[in-house]
Amino acid sequence: MAPGVTHTTAGTDWGKADFEAIYNCPDPRRYFSTLQPLEYQIPHHGQAVFRAVAETLQRRRSDRPPLRVVDLCCSYGVNAALLNYEIVLDDLYQHYTAPAQQALTSSQLARDDRRFFATRRRPDAARVIGIDAADRAVDYARSVGLIDHGFPENLERDAPSPALRRALDGIDLITVTGGVGYITARTFAQLFDCVTAPPWVVAFVLRTVSYRPISTLLSRAGLVTEKVTTRTFRQRRFADGDERRAAFDALAARGLSVTGKESDGFYHADLYVSRPAGDVADLPLVDLLPSV
């Protein structure tokens, strides 16, 4: 089991290990040092997909201001960093686990990060709204400039704040890499109550979790959900044997085989893309994501 990780079924229904201790620290160092040994990699897969989708949406709205993206379960701004900056996930692992970084206070690290990211920002950067119940993680992402607006709100429990409602007006894209299961259709319903035109939704969802309640809700909002069927995406290694057995049991209960997927020792995620029917007809998924 990775350092700092306990095993619990709290918050999930598939026996996933509990990483709560790393999700809401004053800075991301413990997050990266804990997940690196488990080869946590789903943001790497998300980078290529989110960039392709964002570039497509930006071309279709070239006369408008920068793209507006909502990243659900944004944590320390990892997806925003990979979307908007000339870095890859391995760069973040190296940056936050480097020995020289460990002697810094969180405030010193934040100052260093502001310089680190400022020199790497892409000219076509999107405006990112981060939403996560972890207030310190959201504050860090916002303080170093990875997200433009951050909202430490739990939409499973509470209605969106007036400020979040205002920020959601006119969003183009919602992204999520792994939060589904902790967040449900309730969170998506709260978001879609705040928009006038439905945004695209791109979600990586562990195969242990059904996406059907969310895709059903998105359908009622006018979106067609497609699943990439050519492959799945590794999320991370199982933290221990208990987690592996629980995942296999959850997959068996869903009638899914682990052969060639979770049998390799990793959680695997499916990729879902939800768009208005007209956009689906105009741009088939294979053309939107040709490298997937």
Side-chain angles (χ1 to χ4, degrees):
M1 183 178 289
V5 179
T6 59
H7 193 273
T8 180
T9 57
T12 73
D13 59 1
W14 68 95
K16 202 175 179 199
D18 179 14
F19 287 86
E20 184 176 355
I22 69 171
Y23 285 147
N24 200 25
C25 297
D27 65 66
R29 287 175 290 190
R30 190 176 180 189
Y31 174 91
F32 283 100
S33 64
T34 300
L35 292 177
Q36 187 177 40
L38 296 176
E39 299 180 57
Y40 178 68
Q41 59 192 262
I42 201 68
H44 162 73
H45 302 302
Q47 181 177 41
V49 170
F50 297 154
R51 282 190 180 181
V53 171
E55 288 165 6
T56 295
L57 283 169
Q58 190 63 67
R59 285 195 301 270
R60 296 160 69 97
R61 60 193 293 287
S62 57
D63 59 334
R64 294 175 58 192
L67 200 72
R68 301 185 64 192
V69 178
V70 169
D71 189 40
L72 286 177
C73 304
C74 69
S75 182
Y76 301 94
V78 178
N79 286 336
L82 297 178
L83 175 66
N84 281 337
Y85 296 83
E86 293 296 352
I87 56 172
V88 296
L89 183 60
D90 281 347
D91 295 328
L92 296 179
Y93 277 125
Q94 292 172 20
H95 177 67
Y96 287 113
T97 62
Q101 300 289 71
Q102 307 317 305
L104 302 178
T105 65
S106 293
S107 296
Q108 290 170 332
L109 181 67
R111 287 196 297 271
D112 183 68
D113 275 0
R114 282 191 284 273
R115 293 189 295 268
F116 177 83
F117 289 111
T119 60
R120 293 164 171 82
R121 189 167 176 87
R122 289 159 56 95
D124 59 347
R127 303 280 291 178
V128 178
I129 299 166
I131 302 174
D132 198 301
D135 59 327
R136 290 191 289 183
V138 172
D139 286 346
Y140 193 87
R142 182 170 46 199
S143 72
V144 301
L146 291 178
I147 57 177
D148 298 281
H149 303 283
F151 295 92
E153 302 190 22
N154 184 344
L155 301 183
E156 287 294 299
R157 184 189 64 202
D158 304 317
S161 66
L164 177 54
R165 286 184 175 275
R166 290 191 296 271
L168 292 171
D169 184 43
I171 61 171
D172 302 286
L173 173 65
I174 295 174
T175 61
V176 59
T177 55
V180 174
Y182 298 100
I183 60 172
T184 69
R186 175 173 173 76
T187 287
F188 284 86
Q190 302 255 43
L191 293 174
F192 275 74
D193 281 347
C194 300
V195 301
T196 53
W200 290 17
V201 179
V202 181
F204 288 85
V205 182
L206 290 182
R207 293 193 334 126
T208 49
V209 181
S210 173
Y211 196 58
R212 185 177 297 277
I214 294 173
S215 64
T216 299
L217 181 141
L218 297 180
S219 176
R220 292 199 292 267
L223 300 181
V224 175
T225 296
E226 300 174 283
K227 184 175 83 169
V228 169
T229 59
T230 52
R231 61 170 296 189
T232 57
F233 302 82
R234 282 179 168 182
Q235 191 220 35
R236 63 163 171 81
R237 289 190 178 278
F238 296 119
D240 56 27
D242 287 341
E243 188 178 59
R244 180 180 183 274
R245 284 187 290 272
F248 279 33
D249 289 346
L251 290 161
R254 298 195 64 215
L256 299 176
S257 170
V258 301
T259 302
K261 300 185 187 302
E262 289 81 7
S263 60
D264 66 6
F266 285 78
Y267 277 110
H268 279 242
D270 286 316
L271 171 59
Y272 296 89
V273 180
S274 304
R275 301 175 285 163
D279 293 333
V280 173
D282 290 343
L283 184 63
L285 195 60
V286 67
D287 296 328
L288 174 65
L289 302 173
S291 61
V292 172

